[in-house]
Amino acid sequence: MTATNTIAAPAHSTGAGSTNDTSSALRFITCGSVDDGKSTLIGRLLVDSKAVLQDQLANVSKSGEADLALFTDGLSAEREQGITIDVAYRYFATPTRKFIIGDAPGHEQYTRNMVTAASSAHAAVVLVDATKLKWNVDGLVDLLPQTRRHSLLVNLLRVPGIIFAVNKLDALGDDATAAFAKISEALQAFAKQAGIAVTATIPMSALKGHNVVEATPGWCGYQGPSLLALLETLPVTAAETDVPFAFPVQWVEKFHNSADTSQGRRVFWGRVATGTVQVGDTVSIHPSGQTAVVAQVVNHARVPGSVTAGHGAGITLDREVDVSRGDWLLAQVTPAADSDDEFADTPKPRAFAEATREIKATVAWMDDEPLVAGRVYLALHGHRWIKAKVKRIVHSLDINTLQEHDATEIAPNAIGHIELALQEAITAVPYAQSRVLGSLILVDTASHKTSGALLLS
């Protein structure tokens, strides 16, 4: 089996029912291999968009020239080593839009930080350093492993806007146009094989500013918009409003002094994961299996009214039900009746997501030790912690060939397929249908480090 049909394939069902939103703040990350110019690109965006004050510019200037990477590499270890270790967020705005930038590290050992940033991003700019590639060869150019790994990860995490930015072309002089053509060809071939929908491929110089904020028409044969102009048109990740209602309870607020016994006296707070909730909806509580009717819904400001996916809500039920942090409130659906059996009983309503203790998932492994069968981890689903045992390692992905192969372990920073057995059942749906219901994280029981990100199949 090839990875094109499994691990590297994009999620065609986005679960997004709303229209494209290009007015809200765009959260995007810069990623790619080590020293590809990610931090420098962010510095260039901040400076050229006039988002930096004079005293800030003076603090990062050496010998009269600004070291643009220092705007995001703020840790002392980062400045000493000249690398990015943690994800740094910066904010800036243009007359058209607001932006939140995440500068992800390029080193393989910090892949977990990159995955954390990508999990909440609306777009990803994957930088490719033209000076590191042997572009003047016959056939396709060999891309760096981290370029492939980061591209696969942002695609797996369903980041909707992926841009390839070929950087440092100014260092190639007259060969820049030929180099960009060859590298673009390799990127397009890789994206096609991996099933990655690429928004654009842009030639760029973060150091000089070519095609970053202002377009440089004709440079490297490129006639398209600048990176910033393209980012201003990208939509944010749409809320999953076309999936039935799901709500992970984060906090329970109690009103012991309330004299109203016509409804429950507790408010369940959290963020609506999918769908919409309104008064009168019948919900199923997991894991207890009880049902209740929504008596009151308020938003984060305690204003009554329906609340949609992606927004905070406080929900009061029509009766007292045992619900705690980590429980789920799920919409009830009625299964279709068997039209061939006229004597069949009418199906009873049930929660739209069925509970299961056996799951199959794609894993992005981020621990320092390999993942092997038999290990037990803590798994977080929504706000609920459960124990999970690795039953079987199914496949591991070769990021260079995009082929899956049988394996007995998943190496650090690798991607693969696994099967898990859970101590308690969870209500889960594929990650292609819902990001919240279809994802878990694995945490080492001894070190409490985040070990892996699971995307349910």
Side-chain angles (χ1 to χ4, degrees), residues 338-346:
D338 187 355
S339 58
D340 297 331
D341 188 355
E342 59 180 317
F343 300 104
D345 295 334
T346 302

Side-chain angles (χ1 to χ4, degrees), residues 182-197:
K182 289 287 291 183
I183 295 171
S184 296
E185 180 187 13
L187 290 170
Q188 291 169 9
F190 163 69
K192 182 178 180 181
Q193 185 183 6
I196 300 174

Side-chain angles (χ1 to χ4, degrees), residues 225-239:
S226 67
L227 175 63
L228 182 59
L230 189 59
L231 291 172
E232 288 178 332
T233 64
L234 292 182
V236 301
T237 304

Side-chain angles (χ1 to χ4, degrees), residues 86-327:
D86 199 5
V87 179
Y89 290 96
R90 292 295 180 268
Y91 308 86
F92 77 100
T94 67
T96 306
R97 199 171 194 181
K98 295 180 180 179
F99 296 94
I100 304 172
I101 319 173
D103 182 19
H107 283 70
E108 185 176 335
Q109 71 186 91
Y110 302 126
T111 299
R112 63 163 58 89
N113 296 346
M114 177 268 168
V115 171
T116 301
S119 64
S120 60
H122 306 139
V125 180
V126 182
L127 274 83
V128 180
D129 186 347
T131 64
K132 294 180 182 177
L133 302 178
K134 297 179 180 179
W135 57 268
N136 52 352
V137 295
D138 295 333
L140 292 176
V141 177
D142 289 333
L143 301 175
L144 296 177
Q146 278 297 79
T147 302
R148 291 173 170 270
R149 180 178 288 107
H150 283 192
S151 300
L152 290 171
L153 287 171
V154 294
N155 187 54
L156 278 174
L157 293 167
R158 290 176 54 193
V159 178
I162 300 176
I163 299 171
F164 285 128
V166 184
N167 193 25
K168 302 186 183 180
L169 285 165
D170 57 299
L172 300 181
D174 295 337
D175 294 329
T177 300
F180 176 66
K182 289 287 291 183
I183 295 171
S184 296
E185 180 187 13
L187 290 170
Q188 291 169 9
F190 163 69
K192 182 178 180 181
Q193 185 183 6
I196 300 174
V198 180
T199 303
T201 302
I202 302 176
M204 198 178 66
S205 169
L207 185 64
K208 302 297 184 182
H210 300 331
N211 285 330
V212 179
V213 172
E214 299 293 337
T216 309
W219 188 60
C220 297
Y222 177 76
Q223 298 292 344
S226 67
L227 175 63
L228 182 59
L230 189 59
L231 291 172
E232 288 178 332
T233 64
L234 292 182
V236 301
T237 304
E240 296 166 338
T241 54
D242 62 345
V243 182
F245 168 69
F247 181 81
V249 177
Q250 184 176 1
W251 176 52
V252 180
E253 182 181 9
K254 305 175 182 65
F255 289 102
H256 295 296
N257 298 328
S258 174
D260 185 4
T261 58
S262 62
Q263 63 183 37
R265 291 184 289 178
R266 294 185 298 166
V267 183
F268 307 113
W269 290 95
R271 177 179 294 179
V272 179
T274 60
T276 303
V277 60
Q278 56 190 355
V279 174
D281 289 348
T282 301
V283 296
S284 177
I285 295 102
H286 178 80
S288 69
Q290 299 185 74
T291 60
V293 177
V294 176
Q296 186 180 30
V297 180
V298 295
N299 64 12
H300 66 282
R302 298 184 183 268
V303 177
S306 62
V307 179
T308 58
H311 298 278
I315 298 174
T316 304
L317 302 178
D318 65 331
R319 62 190 183 90
E320 287 294 335
V321 184
D322 183 12
V323 178
S324 304
R325 174 183 169 87
D327 291 353

